[in-house]
Amino acid sequence: VSMLLTRFTADMMYQKKHEYLLSSFYGAAAVCLPIGALCAVLFLSRVPAGPGYKLATFVFFSELIVIWLQSVFLSALKDYKRIARNFLYGVAIAVVGSWLLLSFTKQANATAVLTMIDAGFFVVALLSGRHLEKAMPPRSSRLYFSFLAYFRKYPALFWIGTFFYAGVYVHSFVYWSGPSGVRVAEAYVISPFYDTPVFYAYLTVVPTLVTFVVSMETAFYEKYREYYALILNGGTYQEIARAKQTMQHTLMQQISFVMEVQLIATVVSIALGIKLLPAIAFSMEQIDTFIILVLGYYLFINAFIVMLLMLYFDDRKGALAISGLFVLLNASLSYWTMQTESHGLGMVLASFGALA
Protein backbone atom coordinates (compact mmCIF):
# COMPACT_ATOMS: atom_id res chain seq x y z
CA VAL A 1 0.00 0.00 0.00
CA SER A 2 2.87 2.39 0.76
CA MET A 3 4.00 2.48 -2.88
CA LEU A 4 0.50 3.45 -4.04
CA LEU A 5 0.15 6.03 -1.29
CA THR A 6 3.52 7.52 -2.19
CA ARG A 7 2.47 7.91 -5.84
CA PHE A 8 -0.95 9.28 -4.84
CA THR A 9 0.66 11.80 -2.46
CA ALA A 10 3.16 12.93 -5.10
CA ASP A 11 0.41 13.39 -7.70
CA MET A 12 -1.84 15.34 -5.32
CA MET A 13 1.01 17.63 -4.30
CA TYR A 14 1.96 18.23 -7.93
CA GLN A 15 -1.68 19.06 -8.77
CA LYS A 16 -1.93 21.34 -5.70
CA LYS A 17 -4.77 19.21 -4.29
CA HIS A 18 -3.44 19.30 -0.76
CA GLU A 19 -6.86 18.64 0.77
CA TYR A 20 -6.52 15.02 -0.38
CA LEU A 21 -3.37 14.34 1.66
CA LEU A 22 -4.57 14.12 5.25
CA SER A 23 -7.85 12.61 4.10
CA SER A 24 -6.07 9.77 2.31
CA PHE A 25 -4.05 9.01 5.44
CA TYR A 26 -7.22 8.47 7.44
CA GLY A 27 -8.70 6.47 4.58
CA ALA A 28 -5.60 4.24 4.38
CA ALA A 29 -5.72 3.71 8.14
CA ALA A 30 -9.42 2.80 7.89
CA VAL A 31 -8.53 0.15 5.30
CA CYS A 32 -5.33 -1.25 6.81
CA LEU A 33 -6.20 -1.31 10.51
CA PRO A 34 -9.19 -3.71 10.24
CA ILE A 35 -7.19 -6.05 7.99
CA GLY A 36 -4.26 -5.93 10.38
CA ALA A 37 -6.56 -6.43 13.37
CA LEU A 38 -8.07 -9.55 11.81
CA CYS A 39 -4.62 -11.00 11.09
CA ALA A 40 -3.44 -10.18 14.62
CA VAL A 41 -6.49 -11.76 16.27
CA LEU A 42 -6.12 -14.94 14.21
CA PHE A 43 -2.43 -15.18 15.09
CA LEU A 44 -2.76 -14.31 18.78
CA SER A 45 -5.56 -16.83 19.22
CA ARG A 46 -2.86 -19.51 18.85
CA VAL A 47 -0.56 -17.97 21.47
CA PRO A 48 -0.87 -19.56 24.93
CA ALA A 49 -0.54 -16.30 26.87
CA GLY A 50 -2.68 -14.15 29.11
CA PRO A 51 -5.05 -11.41 27.90
CA GLY A 52 -2.64 -8.68 29.02
CA TYR A 53 0.15 -9.92 26.77
CA LYS A 54 -2.20 -10.40 23.83
CA LEU A 55 -3.66 -6.92 24.24
CA ALA A 56 -0.22 -5.31 24.46
CA THR A 57 0.91 -7.19 21.34
CA PHE A 58 -2.25 -6.25 19.46
CA VAL A 59 -1.84 -2.56 20.33
CA PHE A 60 1.83 -2.61 19.31
CA PHE A 61 1.01 -4.14 15.91
CA SER A 62 -1.73 -1.56 15.34
CA GLU A 63 0.63 1.29 16.24
CA LEU A 64 3.21 0.01 13.76
CA ILE A 65 0.58 0.08 11.00
CA VAL A 66 -0.34 3.68 11.81
CA ILE A 67 3.28 4.85 12.02
CA TRP A 68 4.16 3.10 8.74
CA LEU A 69 1.30 4.95 7.00
CA GLN A 70 2.27 8.22 8.65
CA SER A 71 5.84 7.85 7.35
CA VAL A 72 4.59 8.11 3.75
CA PHE A 73 3.12 11.55 4.40
CA LEU A 74 5.83 12.73 6.82
CA SER A 75 8.49 12.16 4.16
CA ALA A 76 6.60 14.56 1.89
CA LEU A 77 6.86 17.31 4.54
CA LYS A 78 10.68 16.96 4.68
CA ASP A 79 10.86 18.30 8.25
CA TYR A 80 13.44 15.68 9.20
CA LYS A 81 14.54 17.27 12.47
CA ARG A 82 11.01 17.26 13.84
CA ILE A 83 10.39 13.70 12.61
CA ALA A 84 13.60 12.48 14.26
CA ARG A 85 12.76 14.35 17.47
CA ASN A 86 9.31 12.74 17.66
CA PHE A 87 10.76 9.28 17.25
CA LEU A 88 13.49 10.03 19.79
CA TYR A 89 10.89 11.01 22.41
CA GLY A 90 8.93 7.81 21.85
CA VAL A 91 11.97 5.53 21.91
CA ALA A 92 13.26 7.23 25.07
CA ILE A 93 9.94 6.62 26.83
CA ALA A 94 9.93 2.97 25.76
CA VAL A 95 13.55 2.31 26.79
CA VAL A 96 13.56 4.26 30.06
CA GLY A 97 10.12 3.00 31.04
CA SER A 98 11.10 -0.62 30.40
CA TRP A 99 14.32 -0.18 32.39
CA LEU A 100 12.45 1.31 35.35
CA LEU A 101 9.90 -1.50 35.36
CA LEU A 102 12.52 -4.22 35.14
CA SER A 103 14.85 -2.62 37.69
CA PHE A 104 12.55 -1.25 40.38
CA THR A 105 9.29 -3.21 40.23
CA LYS A 106 8.18 -6.82 40.31
CA GLN A 107 6.76 -6.51 36.80
CA ALA A 108 9.78 -8.15 35.17
CA ASN A 109 7.93 -9.84 32.34
CA ALA A 110 7.26 -9.51 28.62
CA THR A 111 3.83 -7.93 29.13
CA ALA A 112 5.28 -5.06 31.16
CA VAL A 113 7.99 -4.37 28.59
CA LEU A 114 5.50 -4.53 25.71
CA THR A 115 3.24 -2.10 27.57
CA MET A 116 6.05 0.45 27.83
CA ILE A 117 6.89 -0.07 24.16
CA ASP A 118 3.22 0.58 23.41
CA ALA A 119 3.43 3.81 25.40
CA GLY A 120 6.54 4.94 23.53
CA PHE A 121 5.16 4.20 20.09
CA PHE A 122 1.85 5.80 21.03
CA VAL A 123 3.79 9.01 21.68
CA VAL A 124 5.46 8.68 18.27
CA ALA A 125 2.09 8.18 16.54
CA LEU A 126 0.51 11.03 18.52
CA LEU A 127 3.28 13.55 17.80
CA SER A 128 3.48 12.51 14.14
CA GLY A 129 -0.29 12.81 13.79
CA ARG A 130 -0.19 16.27 15.32
CA HIS A 131 2.59 17.19 12.86
CA LEU A 132 0.43 16.07 9.94
CA GLU A 133 -2.66 17.86 11.23
CA LYS A 134 -0.78 21.15 11.53
CA ALA A 135 1.10 20.93 8.22
CA MET A 136 -1.74 19.74 5.98
CA PRO A 137 -5.20 21.11 5.16
CA PRO A 138 -8.13 19.73 7.21
CA ARG A 139 -9.35 16.27 6.28
CA SER A 140 -12.65 15.64 4.53
CA SER A 141 -14.52 12.35 4.91
CA ARG A 142 -15.67 12.44 1.29
CA LEU A 143 -12.02 12.23 0.18
CA TYR A 144 -10.91 9.44 2.52
CA PHE A 145 -10.86 6.69 -0.07
CA SER A 146 -9.83 8.62 -3.18
CA PHE A 147 -6.47 6.84 -3.14
CA LEU A 148 -8.18 3.49 -3.79
CA ALA A 149 -8.60 4.51 -7.44
CA TYR A 150 -4.83 4.09 -7.78
CA PHE A 151 -5.21 0.33 -7.27
CA ARG A 152 -6.91 0.27 -10.67
CA LYS A 153 -4.80 3.04 -12.19
CA TYR A 154 -1.39 1.70 -11.10
CA PRO A 155 -1.80 -1.98 -10.08
CA ALA A 156 1.88 -2.60 -10.82
CA LEU A 157 2.90 -0.35 -7.90
CA PHE A 158 1.04 -2.56 -5.44
CA TRP A 159 2.83 -5.67 -6.71
CA ILE A 160 6.20 -3.91 -6.90
CA GLY A 161 5.98 -2.98 -3.23
CA THR A 162 4.65 -6.41 -2.25
CA PHE A 163 7.36 -8.33 -4.12
CA PHE A 164 10.29 -6.16 -3.06
CA TYR A 165 9.41 -5.99 0.63
CA ALA A 166 8.63 -9.72 0.60
CA GLY A 167 12.03 -10.26 -0.97
CA VAL A 168 13.72 -8.49 1.93
CA TYR A 169 12.32 -11.00 4.44
CA VAL A 170 11.74 -14.18 2.44
CA HIS A 171 15.21 -15.57 3.22
CA SER A 172 14.34 -15.40 6.92
CA PHE A 173 11.11 -17.32 6.24
CA VAL A 174 13.17 -20.00 4.52
CA TYR A 175 15.38 -20.41 7.59
CA TRP A 176 12.39 -20.36 9.95
CA SER A 177 10.99 -23.38 8.12
CA GLY A 178 14.40 -25.08 7.96
CA PRO A 179 16.40 -27.18 10.44
CA SER A 180 17.46 -24.12 12.49
CA GLY A 181 13.87 -22.95 12.99
CA VAL A 182 12.61 -22.90 16.58
CA ARG A 183 8.97 -22.62 17.65
CA VAL A 184 8.30 -20.40 20.66
CA ALA A 185 5.00 -20.45 22.58
CA GLU A 186 3.46 -22.69 19.92
CA ALA A 187 3.04 -19.76 17.50
CA TYR A 188 6.22 -17.71 17.04
CA VAL A 189 8.87 -19.18 14.74
CA ILE A 190 12.47 -17.92 14.84
CA SER A 191 15.92 -19.02 13.77
CA PRO A 192 18.31 -17.74 16.45
CA PHE A 193 21.34 -18.82 14.42
CA TYR A 194 20.30 -16.83 11.33
CA ASP A 195 18.04 -14.04 12.61
CA THR A 196 20.71 -12.35 14.73
CA PRO A 197 23.25 -11.89 11.89
CA VAL A 198 20.38 -10.73 9.65
CA PHE A 199 19.38 -8.05 12.16
CA TYR A 200 22.88 -6.60 12.51
CA ALA A 201 23.58 -6.87 8.78
CA TYR A 202 20.39 -4.99 7.92
CA LEU A 203 21.43 -2.12 10.19
CA THR A 204 24.44 -1.51 7.95
CA VAL A 205 22.23 -0.06 5.17
CA VAL A 206 20.91 2.75 7.38
CA PRO A 207 23.55 5.22 6.03
CA THR A 208 22.26 4.70 2.49
CA LEU A 209 18.62 5.12 3.52
CA VAL A 210 19.49 8.46 5.12
CA THR A 211 21.83 9.57 2.33
CA PHE A 212 19.32 8.69 -0.36
CA VAL A 213 16.56 10.77 1.21
CA VAL A 214 18.78 13.77 1.88
CA SER A 215 20.92 13.66 -1.28
CA MET A 216 18.86 12.07 -4.04
CA GLU A 217 15.51 13.52 -3.00
CA THR A 218 16.93 17.06 -2.88
CA ALA A 219 19.72 17.50 -5.45
CA PHE A 220 18.35 15.07 -8.04
CA TYR A 221 14.69 15.90 -7.59
CA GLU A 222 15.26 19.57 -8.36
CA LYS A 223 16.93 18.71 -11.70
CA TYR A 224 14.28 16.11 -12.42
CA ARG A 225 11.48 18.63 -11.82
CA GLU A 226 13.17 21.29 -13.97
CA TYR A 227 13.56 18.82 -16.85
CA TYR A 228 9.91 17.75 -16.87
CA ALA A 229 8.70 21.32 -16.32
CA LEU A 230 10.41 22.33 -19.56
CA ILE A 231 8.75 19.44 -21.40
CA LEU A 232 5.29 20.18 -20.03
CA ASN A 233 5.53 23.95 -20.40
CA GLY A 234 6.91 24.09 -23.95
CA GLY A 235 10.62 24.65 -23.42
CA THR A 236 12.88 24.85 -26.47
CA TYR A 237 14.80 21.81 -27.71
CA GLN A 238 18.09 23.31 -26.54
CA GLU A 239 16.69 24.01 -23.05
CA ILE A 240 15.28 20.48 -22.74
CA ALA A 241 18.52 18.87 -23.98
CA ARG A 242 20.57 20.97 -21.57
CA ALA A 243 18.23 20.16 -18.66
CA LYS A 244 18.37 16.44 -19.52
CA GLN A 245 22.17 16.48 -19.58
CA THR A 246 22.28 18.27 -16.22
CA MET A 247 19.77 15.83 -14.74
CA GLN A 248 21.73 12.79 -15.96
CA HIS A 249 25.00 14.22 -14.63
CA THR A 250 23.41 14.92 -11.23
CA LEU A 251 21.86 11.45 -11.16
CA MET A 252 25.16 9.66 -11.81
CA GLN A 253 26.95 11.92 -9.33
CA GLN A 254 24.43 11.19 -6.56
CA ILE A 255 24.31 7.44 -7.26
CA SER A 256 28.10 7.31 -7.07
CA PHE A 257 28.06 9.25 -3.81
CA VAL A 258 25.43 6.98 -2.24
CA MET A 259 27.31 3.83 -3.32
CA GLU A 260 30.58 5.21 -1.92
CA VAL A 261 28.97 6.03 1.42
CA GLN A 262 27.45 2.55 1.65
CA LEU A 263 30.72 0.90 0.61
CA ILE A 264 32.54 2.68 3.45
CA ALA A 265 29.75 1.69 5.87
CA THR A 266 29.97 -1.92 4.65
CA VAL A 267 33.75 -2.17 5.12
CA VAL A 268 33.60 -0.52 8.56
CA SER A 269 30.69 -2.76 9.61
CA ILE A 270 32.57 -5.91 8.62
CA ALA A 271 35.64 -4.79 10.54
CA LEU A 272 33.62 -3.89 13.64
CA GLY A 273 31.59 -7.08 13.36
CA ILE A 274 34.69 -9.28 13.35
CA LYS A 275 36.00 -7.42 16.40
CA LEU A 276 32.84 -6.91 18.49
CA LEU A 277 30.32 -9.64 17.66
CA PRO A 278 32.23 -12.41 19.51
CA ALA A 279 31.66 -10.35 22.68
CA ILE A 280 27.89 -10.97 22.36
CA ALA A 281 28.31 -14.73 21.90
CA PHE A 282 28.42 -14.88 18.08
CA SER A 283 29.91 -18.14 16.87
CA MET A 284 32.45 -18.14 14.04
CA GLU A 285 29.79 -19.51 11.69
CA GLN A 286 27.47 -16.65 12.62
CA ILE A 287 30.24 -14.10 12.04
CA ASP A 288 30.87 -15.60 8.60
CA THR A 289 27.13 -15.39 7.91
CA PHE A 290 27.08 -11.77 9.07
CA ILE A 291 29.92 -10.83 6.69
CA ILE A 292 28.21 -12.48 3.74
CA LEU A 293 24.88 -10.83 4.60
CA VAL A 294 26.49 -7.40 4.88
CA LEU A 295 27.73 -7.81 1.32
CA GLY A 296 24.28 -9.03 0.29
CA TYR A 297 22.56 -5.99 1.80
CA TYR A 298 25.08 -3.72 0.09
CA LEU A 299 23.96 -5.13 -3.26
CA PHE A 300 20.32 -5.10 -2.18
CA ILE A 301 20.21 -1.43 -1.21
CA ASN A 302 21.80 -0.44 -4.49
CA ALA A 303 19.23 -2.52 -6.39
CA PHE A 304 16.49 -0.87 -4.33
CA ILE A 305 17.74 2.61 -5.25
CA VAL A 306 17.91 1.69 -8.93
CA MET A 307 14.33 0.42 -8.75
CA LEU A 308 13.14 3.65 -7.13
CA LEU A 309 14.86 5.67 -9.85
CA MET A 310 13.10 3.52 -12.47
CA LEU A 311 9.81 4.53 -10.85
CA TYR A 312 10.88 8.18 -11.07
CA PHE A 313 10.90 7.69 -14.83
CA ASP A 314 7.65 5.68 -14.69
CA ASP A 315 9.25 2.40 -15.77
CA ARG A 316 6.75 0.31 -13.82
CA LYS A 317 7.19 -2.79 -15.97
CA GLY A 318 10.95 -2.82 -15.40
CA ALA A 319 10.56 -2.27 -11.66
CA LEU A 320 7.92 -5.02 -11.47
CA ALA A 321 10.21 -7.44 -13.30
CA ILE A 322 13.12 -6.65 -10.94
CA SER A 323 11.04 -6.96 -7.76
CA GLY A 324 9.44 -10.21 -8.93
CA LEU A 325 12.80 -11.65 -9.90
CA PHE A 326 14.30 -10.62 -6.56
CA VAL A 327 11.72 -12.41 -4.40
CA LEU A 328 11.89 -15.58 -6.51
CA LEU A 329 15.70 -15.64 -6.54
CA ASN A 330 15.98 -14.91 -2.83
CA ALA A 331 13.54 -17.66 -1.87
CA SER A 332 15.02 -20.35 -4.13
CA LEU A 333 18.69 -19.47 -3.66
CA SER A 334 18.33 -19.08 0.12
CA TYR A 335 16.84 -22.57 0.29
CA TRP A 336 19.70 -23.96 -1.80
CA THR A 337 22.43 -22.20 0.18
CA MET A 338 20.77 -23.27 3.46
CA GLN A 339 21.03 -26.88 2.32
CA THR A 340 24.69 -26.44 1.40
CA GLU A 341 25.37 -24.48 4.63
CA SER A 342 26.53 -21.43 2.67
CA HIS A 343 24.43 -19.23 4.90
CA GLY A 344 23.61 -15.77 3.55
CA LEU A 345 24.93 -16.45 0.08
CA GLY A 346 21.40 -16.68 -1.29
CA MET A 347 20.80 -13.05 -0.36
CA VAL A 348 24.03 -12.04 -2.10
CA LEU A 349 23.22 -13.88 -5.32
CA ALA A 350 19.59 -12.71 -5.38
CA SER A 351 20.57 -9.07 -4.81
CA PHE A 352 23.27 -9.30 -7.46
CA GLY A 353 20.75 -10.75 -9.92
CA ALA A 354 18.26 -7.95 -9.21
CA LEU A 355 20.96 -5.28 -9.50
CA ALA A 356 22.34 -6.73 -12.74
Side-chain angles (χ1 to χ4, degrees):
V1 175
S2 62
M3 284 280 187
L4 284 166
L5 276 177
T6 300
R7 178 59 187 262
F8 178 81
T9 302
D11 287 352
M12 294 304 103
M13 292 183 70
Y14 180 79
Q15 298 172 30
K16 308 298 183 183
K17 296 181 179 179
H18 298 117
E19 67 276 10
Y20 282 80
L21 300 178
L22 192 59
S23 301
S24 62
F25 162 69
Y26 282 96
V31 171
C32 294
L33 282 174
I35 297 174
L38 176 61
C39 294
V41 168
L42 291 175
F43 175 80
L44 290 171
S45 65
R46 301 161 47 207
V47 178
Y53 174 85
K54 292 185 177 182
L55 178 61
T57 304
F58 179 85
V59 171
F60 181 50
F61 183 63
S62 300
E63 289 173 341
L64 290 178
I65 293 174
V66 172
I67 292 171
W68 180 260
L69 294 174
Q70 286 177 333
S71 66
V72 174
F73 300 91
L74 289 171
S75 61
L77 299 180
K78 301 187 185 300
D79 189 354
Y80 302 118
K81 287 184 178 180
R82 182 169 179 176
I83 295 169
R85 190 166 59 245
N86 292 344
F87 273 83
L88 182 61
Y89 291 154
V91 170
I93 290 172
V95 172
V96 174
S98 298
W99 176 74
L100 291 174
L101 281 177
L102 294 175
S103 301
F104 301 103
T105 72
K106 297 181 180 180
Q107 303 299 319
N109 53 57
T111 302
V113 173
L114 271 175
T115 301
M116 291 312 305
I117 293 174
D118 288 343
F121 276 75
F122 176 75
V123 170
V124 174
L126 188 66
L127 293 175
S128 298
R130 185 182 179 190
H131 187 186
L132 292 175
E133 292 278 358
K134 284 190 172 184
M136 294 179 176
R139 62 185 185 273
S140 171
S141 58
R142 64 183 178 84
L143 302 176
Y144 277 6
F145 303 105
S146 301
F147 75 96
L148 292 176
Y150 273 50
F151 278 93
R152 295 189 302 270
K153 191 175 182 180
Y154 301 109
L157 289 178
F158 173 78
W159 293 112
I160 290 168
T162 300
F163 289 153
F164 221 89
Y165 287 119
V168 175
Y169 300 105
V170 70
H171 61 125
S172 293
F173 280 87
V174 170
Y175 274 81
W176 293 345
S177 60
S180 63
V182 177
R183 189 171 290 274
V184 179
E186 300 180 18
Y188 298 98
V189 182
I190 61 173
S191 174
F193 163 77
Y194 191 70
D195 289 346
T196 313
V198 167
F199 170 74
Y200 286 104
Y202 190 75
L203 292 180
T204 64
V205 303
V206 171
T208 292
L209 295 175
V210 175
T211 305
F212 177 77
V213 172
V214 176
S215 179
M216 299 291 290
E217 295 271 3
T218 52
F220 169 69
Y221 180 72
E222 291 301 321
K223 306 303 180 184
Y224 169 86
R225 187 173 61 178
E226 291 172 8
Y227 171 64
Y228 276 94
L230 288 171
I231 294 175
L232 295 174
N233 298 325
T236 66
Y237 174 79
Q238 290 79 8
E239 289 175 332
I240 294 174
R242 188 163 51 250
K244 180 180 180 181
Q245 186 177 17
T246 302
M247 180 185 67
Q248 290 175 335
H249 175 74
T250 303
L251 175 60
M252 296 308 299
Q253 188 180 50
Q254 297 304 316
I255 289 178
S256 299
F257 174 69
V258 169
M259 287 184 173
E260 288 169 4
V261 169
Q262 185 56 47
L263 181 60
I264 294 171
T266 298
V267 172
V268 171
S269 298
I270 290 174
L272 291 176
I274 293 172
K275 182 69 176 178
L276 301 178
L277 290 180
I280 55 174
F282 263 56
S283 66
M284 286 305 300
E285 193 174 15
Q286 282 182 305
I287 293 174
D288 291 340
T289 302
F290 167 77
I291 294 170
I292 294 171
L293 285 169
V294 169
L295 297 175
Y297 279 114
Y298 172 75
L299 296 171
F300 159 76
I301 200 65
N302 286 310
F304 182 64
I305 288 173
V306 170
M307 189 198 72
L308 289 180
L309 291 173
M310 292 172 71
L311 292 176
Y312 261 106
F313 296 99
D314 210 28
D315 185 7
R316 296 191 298 275
K317 289 183 179 180
L320 180 60
I322 289 176
S323 58
L325 176 67
F326 176 62
V327 69
L328 289 174
L329 286 177
N330 206 6
S332 57
L333 292 173
S334 292
Y335 179 79
W336 172 61
T337 54
M338 180 181 68
Q339 299 299 320
T340 60
E341 297 188 357
S342 301
H343 307 298
L345 187 59
M347 180 66 175
V348 174
L349 296 175
S351 299
F352 179 78
L355 181 60

